[in-house]
Amino acid sequence: MGDLQSELQNWYAATQAYEQALAAAEDLYQACTLLDSQAGELKATADLPRRAAYAYAKTGQLAKALETIERGRARGLSERLQRDRADLAQLQQQRPDLFDRYRDITNQLQNLESLQREQQVRDRQALTPEQHRNKAQKLRQDLTEAIAQIRQVPGYETFLQAPSLTEIQQNLSTEAPTIYLIPTPNGSLALIATPQAIDPLWLDAFPEATLTDLVQTWLQADRESKVANYEYSKDPESLAKTQTRNEKREQWHNMIDQGTRQLWDNLMAPLIDRLKQHNHTQAILIPTGLLGLLPLHAAWTPDPSRPTGRRYALDELTFTYAPNAQSLVAARAIAQRFPDSHLDSILAIDNPRQDLPSSEREVMAAVKTFPHPTILRHEKATTATVAANLGQQAIVHFSCHGTANFFDPLNSGLLMNDDLLTLRELFNLKLTEGDKPGIRLAILSACETGLPGLDLADEAIGLPVGLLQAGVAGAIASLWAVNEQSTMILLTKFYDLWRNDHLTPPIALRQAQQWLRSATPSEIRQLTGIGLRGAEHPFAHPYYWAGFSYTGI
């Protein structure tokens, strides 16, 4: 009914219908005891928070719109961050018995969820064993009772309740606005949120249908390029396969050009204009729906005054990304444990499959400014060894292959010497448990490490979010299969700007991308020692640099 009223633009009637639908969806979700059933409910109502938030904003209920979209975005991540990283120091002093009970229940739930993820990975269609269901139901009941008791303790009256508008705004960054980008069939909406205000920006010239068409064409071009490259790798002497690979690669590069151009006029340009009116130089993007698959920072417009003839969104502001505002609270707490003076250690994973010629050069550039580096190279970089070492250093750098599984994102991962280090395993790392401080920054120099799954796009289930849940404050990851040589050069420049020029990691990444796209062969040689021939700006095309983005703090 809400969708029908929205089509008719009867916004007040739409909000009433959506409010009932949201309440019913919440009841069904709360009745779920297992991850697979929760995912099923979220999938059934995937676009409901976006449509409802849009309707609330149309009726001037901006606070309601913000609450709705924040609660509906990356919900699984938020709930587990709240549950597993709640500040219970005061409770431990006042009610140690209740503290111990709560910790015991949540530890059992974490272990059970790990078993459920393993079951999902083994057989995506399989039902969770009955004993798991019974145990989960009992633990959920115990947790509900424990939470009710904790709320009786002074200072914990709102423990684990859904965040109110006041709490959401209090947790927003004071340095940069947080922007929820919300596509719907009626058009798109940007909610520009700061601790003081919510500013709506209507983007009705960019409806969801436009986005869907763009993403479908984008993914098809990417997929066809991968298939052609795979066929070529099996028979590199074949002229026909070589020609097909080159044609499909050119089509994919053209699609990146065309797609990022489409993102400018009706989406990013109006947003940038609004942000610059308020003198913002940085912004945190929370792209909802299918927008999370696209490099919004690489939207562009022609500009003859620029070296490459284009002006990109990242030329105007520094953009970072986040799954939701709640995740940044946990990320900020981890980042605060790592002042610059404590960033002296790094774990580097170097070319586990021994098929990346530029990997060693990249890793040496990464570790050279850290007094205490640990390098796991080639056959030493096994899944078990890497997992055991994660969390012992402030920074982790992966130079390896990666893969994104759109329809089974728990099987996305990073390819080690023996096997895939999967998202499922990253979820289970618990890098902040006990005395562990977490990880300040993870650099994923691998293909498609930033892509979320398609089935539950608004849950943002992907490697960056998996790392945030595990205990990483910030992550640099890619949206597509990146070029090995340009990635090495990009990240060499990133480390130079971050470690030697003392820029923040997001600003260092942005400036490294700007530098790479306009760099000449002589400038590249001066930085890396690599000699290149050909174009004046060999890596100007966004394929070479725009795939990387910064998630978190």
Side-chain angles (χ1 to χ4, degrees):
M1 183 60 71
D3 293 349
L4 175 60
Q5 297 296 342
S6 291
E7 288 180 19
L8 299 173
Q9 299 190 21
N10 295 330
W11 297 114
Y12 283 101
T15 58
Q16 293 174 343
Y18 283 135
E19 188 146 3
Q20 293 177 354
L22 286 167
E26 180 66 17
D27 289 341
L28 290 171
Y29 180 82
Q30 292 297 338
C32 298
T33 58
L34 296 168
L35 293 179
D36 51 5
S37 54
Q38 288 176 350
E41 289 301 328
L42 290 173
K43 185 176 180 180
T45 58
D47 62 347
L48 178 58
R50 282 184 277 120
R51 288 174 178 253
Y54 187 92
Y56 285 132
K58 278 291 187 182
T59 59
Q61 301 180 70
L62 298 180
K64 192 79 170 175
L66 182 65
E67 289 178 356
T68 300
I69 196 63
E70 169 66 17
R71 292 174 183 175
R73 176 73 185 164
R75 179 160 185 172
L77 171 67
S78 294
E79 290 180 349
R80 284 161 185 81
L81 287 175
Q82 284 183 295
R83 184 193 72 191
D84 300 340
R85 296 195 208 163
D87 183 0
L88 300 175
Q90 187 178 348
L91 179 69
Q92 188 175 17
Q93 291 181 351
Q94 296 183 37
R95 289 288 307 275
D97 59 323
L98 193 52
F99 171 86
D100 290 340
R101 184 182 177 214
Y102 177 81
R103 281 297 185 213
D104 178 60
I105 294 170
T106 55
N107 285 336
Q108 290 187 64
L109 275 171
Q110 288 174 8
N111 293 334
L112 185 60
E113 287 165 359
S114 297
L115 291 173
Q116 291 172 40
R117 292 191 187 102
E118 290 175 7
Q119 176 73 17
Q120 290 172 351
V121 169
R122 286 195 301 269
D123 184 354
R124 195 161 177 258
Q125 304 301 322
L127 294 174
T128 302
E130 189 64 26
Q131 64 268 30
H132 287 184
R133 293 183 178 275
N134 294 337
K135 185 175 182 180
Q137 189 170 8
K138 176 65 166 60
L139 286 172
R140 294 284 179 187
Q141 183 178 347
D142 292 345
L143 181 62
T144 300
E145 294 173 358
I147 291 170
Q149 290 181 305
I150 291 173
R151 288 175 181 169
Q152 302 302 311
V153 178
Y156 288 90
E157 291 83 359
T158 61
F159 182 65
L160 295 193
Q161 287 183 356
S164 65
L165 173 67
T166 300
E167 291 170 325
I168 293 171
Q169 288 196 281
Q170 284 176 345
N171 290 329
L172 293 176
S173 170
T174 57
E175 299 176 355
T178 301
I179 302 161
Y180 299 81
L181 291 169
I182 307 168
T184 78
N186 294 87
S188 293
L189 165 67
L191 285 179
I192 305 171
T194 66
Q196 295 78 32
I198 306 169
D199 180 19
L201 174 63
W202 299 102
L203 303 163
D204 289 343
F206 194 84
E208 192 170 40
T210 298
L211 172 62
T212 301
D213 289 345
L214 170 57
V215 169
Q216 287 177 345
T217 309
W218 179 283
L219 294 179
Q220 181 178 349
D222 183 23
R223 183 167 53 250
E224 289 179 357
S225 178
K226 289 177 189 171
V227 170
N229 194 58
Y230 174 72
E231 293 297 329
Y232 165 81
S233 69
K234 294 193 298 183
D235 186 9
E237 301 300 322
S238 168
L239 292 178
K241 290 183 178 179
T242 301
Q243 183 177 358
T244 300
R245 181 199 64 164
N246 293 341
E247 289 175 354
K248 294 300 181 181
R249 180 170 57 189
E250 183 178 2
Q251 290 172 12
W252 168 226
H253 287 199
N254 289 340
M255 184 63 236
I256 294 175
D257 256 347
Q258 296 164 13
T260 49
R261 179 69 184 93
Q262 282 182 255
L263 293 171
W264 179 266
D265 290 338
N266 296 321
L267 183 68
M268 294 304 291
L271 176 61
I272 289 168
D273 288 344
R274 178 68 62 87
L275 294 172
K276 292 179 72 174
Q277 287 172 13
H278 293 85
N279 299 316
H280 293 300
T281 59
Q282 302 181 59
I284 301 165
L285 299 180
I286 301 179
T288 68
L290 295 177
L291 281 173
L293 297 169
L294 300 172
L296 304 179
H297 56 282
W300 64 276
T301 188
D303 187 343
S305 68
R306 307 282 172 142
T308 58
R310 297 178 178 184
R311 178 161 51 98
Y312 289 90
L314 60 71
D315 293 327
E316 305 297 326
L317 296 96
T318 299
F319 290 104
T320 60
Y321 295 81
N324 59 19
Q326 182 66 35
S327 65
L328 295 181
V329 177
R332 197 173 294 119
I334 294 171
Q336 289 170 352
R337 301 171 191 168
F338 293 98
D340 289 345
S341 59
H342 286 60
L343 295 179
D344 59 356
S345 60
I346 184 171
L347 170 66
I349 312 305
D350 181 8
N351 196 11
R353 292 298 175 103
Q354 304 181 49
D355 56 355
L356 298 172
S358 300
S359 179
E360 184 175 1
R361 190 189 297 263
E362 176 185 311
V363 166
M364 296 314 295
V367 305
K368 71 178 181 180
T369 62
F370 292 89
H372 306 293
T374 299
I375 301 175
L376 296 177
R377 180 171 286 129
H378 302 168
E379 69 279 355
K380 294 182 179 179
T382 64
T383 53
T385 304
V386 171
N389 276 271
L390 284 172
Q392 298 182 28
Q393 294 83 12
I395 311 297
V396 59
H397 182 110
F398 285 92
S399 179
C400 60
H401 292 289
T403 181
N405 190 319
F406 280 121
F407 298 103
D408 194 0
L410 290 176
N411 262 334
S412 299
L414 300 162
L415 192 59
M416 299 297 103
N417 180 263
D418 59 334
D419 205 349
L420 197 66
L421 181 62
T422 64
L423 178 57
R424 168 178 55 85
E425 292 165 312
L426 292 175
F427 271 134
N428 298 334
L429 285 177
K430 303 176 185 177
L431 298 173
T432 58
E433 193 174 72
D435 295 331
K436 297 178 184 177
I439 292 174
R440 174 61 187 92
L441 178 61
I443 296 96
L444 308 182
S445 174
C447 299
E448 301 177 332
T449 47
L451 281 172
L454 284 179
D455 274 0
L456 287 169
D458 277 311
E459 282 300 283
I461 302 173
L463 288 171
V465 169
L467 288 167
L468 260 61
Q469 179 168 326
V472 175
I476 293 174
S478 67
L479 287 170
W480 54 74
V482 291
N483 176 273
E484 186 212 357
Q485 186 179 61
S486 62
T487 297
M488 180 274 293
I489 298 169
L490 172 70
L491 292 177
T492 299
K493 186 64 176 178
F494 162 76
Y495 278 103
D496 180 48
L497 292 167
W498 175 33
R499 302 290 292 172
N500 297 326
D501 291 357
H502 307 292
L503 301 180
T504 65
I507 294 176
L509 176 62
R510 173 204 184 196
Q511 291 194 13
Q513 290 172 310
Q514 291 173 307
W515 177 87
L516 179 63
R517 72 165 196 249
S518 60
T520 63
S522 63
E523 290 171 328
I524 293 170
R525 186 183 305 110
Q526 184 177 359
L527 176 72
T528 65
I530 296 174
L532 296 174
R533 295 180 180 179
E536 181 182 3
H537 305 291
F539 299 116
H541 194 284
Y543 162 76
Y544 294 106
W545 54 267
F548 284 96
S549 61
Y550 193 100
T551 299
I553 296 296

